[in-house]
Amino acid sequence: MLVKERTIPLKILILSAILRRIPLSHARYQQISDELGRRQAGYEGEQSLDFYYRELPKLKYLIFHDLNLPDGDYNCQIDTLLLTPEFILIIDVKNMAGKLIFDTENEQFIQIKGEEEKGYSYPITQAERHQEYIKKLLAANHFPPVPVVYLVVISNSYASYVITGKNAYKVKPKVCKGDVMLKRIQDLEGIYTTPILTAKDLRKLSRLLLKMNTPPTGYLLQKFGIQRLELLTGVQCPYCKYLPMIRKKQKWFCAKCQHYSIDAHIGALKDYFLLIDMKITNREFREFMHIKSIDTAKRLLQASNLKFSGANKNRTYFPKTIPW
Ligand SMILES: [Zn+2]
């Protein structure tokens, strides 16, 4: 059963939002843009595996795509998590082209494409970190100790990979190409045959994972050394991307391209939830959207299909879903 559907990954949404809200001249603009490109390629790779996930028995497997679980200053981002009564499987997808080398001796990951050779962080270390995270989460919430395993899946069908070094035999069962993934999952079914998590445990764990899912904004801003105060505020023109639009004739007006928009603040509100906070008050809305009128802000917020709590001045609005 698909518990958490595939949507555009939060990291892609956040990186795109950052690029909308820093000047082109910003020292980190190119670096963030490159990271966004890599993440988009990765997302395409993940989508290419959906065909295989659909083949899994629906009753046995609970599927979660793009989980972002807070871990102190760090963020535990899992491409796909499969829950079963017998085991939990973390799937980390690598959508890279060329020849990929898992060097188990030096714990390196190398991509060779044409004449070019490039080093990347070792996927096994990352997967093991995610494995430890899930194990700790289970223990902290008093779930029975169900085995937690991982697979690194190479989704690019044109890529080839080799595993070298003295620990290759340990890593081999944990890496595969997309078209072999189902076979590897069947192997795991053959190894882990004892049901450990009850239906109630699975429901409880599903709820917990969904509740913990949070945009990893702080982590990404910190990674690129960007302060929240550096981010440009205001409503962006949907036609020419100019920032900020102004209120005119009860609409948003772009001084650059002269277009009007009724709902350009929705995009800005999405950026706010991704970059600043997951909740917003009338005052914060006015500051971010550059409007003076409390009543206009109230009207726009009430028409934005948000959840809210509190009354009058203390009312806080929240997105109904993440991403919103
Ligand atoms: Zn414009």
Side-chain angles (χ1 to χ4, degrees):
M1 190 175 77
L2 196 51
V3 182
K4 186 172 180 298
E5 286 191 54
R6 191 181 292 297
T7 50
I8 299 174
L10 281 170
K11 279 192 179 170
I12 290 185
L13 295 175
I14 294 168
L15 292 170
S16 309
I18 295 174
L19 291 179
R20 279 193 289 276
R21 296 198 173 266
I22 56 171
L24 260 168
S25 57
H26 194 284
R28 295 303 187 92
Y29 194 96
Q30 192 53 46
Q31 199 188 347
I32 297 170
S33 178
D34 291 347
E35 166 105 16
L36 176 61
R38 274 197 298 277
R39 297 244 162 228
Q40 276 164 338
Y43 179 43
E44 280 167 32
E46 287 163 41
Q47 285 174 303
S48 73
L49 298 177
D50 282 347
F51 171 76
Y52 302 107
Y53 292 124
R54 280 197 287 272
E55 298 293 307
L56 289 171
K58 287 199 172 45
L59 284 176
K60 183 177 168 76
Y61 286 90
L62 300 180
I63 306 175
F64 298 76
H65 291 303
D66 189 38
L67 278 174
N68 289 269
L69 309 171
D71 184 11
D73 284 340
Y74 181 69
N75 161 60
C76 174
Q77 192 261 328
I78 296 176
D79 295 336
T80 300
L81 186 82
L82 304 181
L83 293 187
T84 76
E86 296 84 10
F87 63 93
I88 295 179
L89 174 60
I90 296 163
I91 295 180
D92 185 28
V93 183
K94 293 278 166 234
N95 187 27
M96 295 159 91
K99 184 177 176 181
L100 308 170
I101 302 168
F102 290 81
D103 171 4
T104 65
E105 191 90 45
N106 305 300
E107 308 206 331
Q108 291 190 95
F109 186 53
I110 302 152
Q111 177 192 37
I112 301 174
K113 229 167 84 185
E115 297 286 288
E116 213 185 333
E117 186 175 316
K118 237 170 148 180
Y120 289 92
S121 57
Y122 192 50
I124 304 298
T125 310
Q126 186 194 319
E128 282 173 352
R129 206 162 46 207
H130 292 167
Q131 183 184 34
E132 278 313 302
Y133 181 95
I134 296 294
K135 278 186 185 170
K136 274 189 197 152
L137 181 78
L138 292 170
N141 291 280
H142 315 291
F143 285 100
V146 62
V148 181
V149 290
Y150 63 84
L151 264 183
V152 175
V153 179
I154 315 283
S155 57
N156 189 320
S157 49
Y158 301 107
S160 66
Y161 74 94
V162 285
I163 301 171
T164 64
K166 65 173 188 305
N167 290 318
Y169 72 98
K170 284 189 204 161
V171 170
K172 238 173 171 171
K174 293 165 180 161
V175 179
C176 69
K177 294 284 293 278
D179 54 352
V180 184
M181 185 176 76
L182 286 179
K183 166 83 179 57
R184 288 295 170 84
I185 294 176
Q186 278 167 7
D187 292 347
L188 292 170
E189 286 177 3
I191 298 170
Y192 304 106
T193 52
T194 317
I196 292 168
L197 296 175
T198 62
K200 195 182 164 193
D201 288 333
L202 290 166
R203 274 199 307 276
K204 200 177 136 198
L205 183 53
S206 296
R207 269 201 307 274
L208 178 66
L209 291 169
L210 293 177
K211 203 177 127 194
M212 287 179 72
N213 186 51
T214 317
T217 310
Y219 166 73
L220 283 173
L221 289 176
Q222 200 184 334
K223 180 174 173 180
F224 293 106
I226 294 174
Q227 306 290 324
R228 274 192 170 80
L229 283 172
E230 283 182 73
L231 298 169
L232 305 170
T233 56
V235 171
Q236 192 172 38
C237 173
Y239 303 97
C240 75
K241 308 298 171 204
Y242 178 78
L243 196 84
M245 299 181 94
I246 53 167
R247 287 302 281 179
K248 203 170 168 182
K249 299 182 193 165
Q250 301 207 336
K251 290 180 191 136
W252 296 104
F253 175 70
C254 175
K256 195 178 169 201
C257 75
Q258 317 286 311
H259 266 99
Y260 281 93
S261 164
I262 297 169
D263 58 2
H265 60 283
I266 296 292
L269 204 45
K270 285 184 179 174
D271 284 356
Y272 188 92
F273 291 139
L274 285 168
L275 298 176
I276 311 294
D277 201 350
M278 301 264 288
K279 56 185 193 313
I280 193 165
T281 61
N282 185 298
R283 171 198 283 271
E284 289 161 342
F285 183 84
R286 280 179 280 139
E287 276 173 16
F288 197 76
M289 307 298 164
H290 301 195
I291 47 179
K292 290 195 185 77
S293 159
I294 295 180
D295 292 330
T296 303
K298 191 176 171 185
R299 207 175 59 246
L300 293 177
L301 277 166
Q302 282 178 345
S304 296
N305 193 24
L306 297 164
K307 286 195 292 192
F308 59 83
S309 72
N312 304 324
K313 265 191 157 177
N314 297 319
R315 177 158 289 186
T316 314
Y317 298 83
F318 314 85
K320 280 185 176 165
T321 53
I322 309 164
W324 180 56

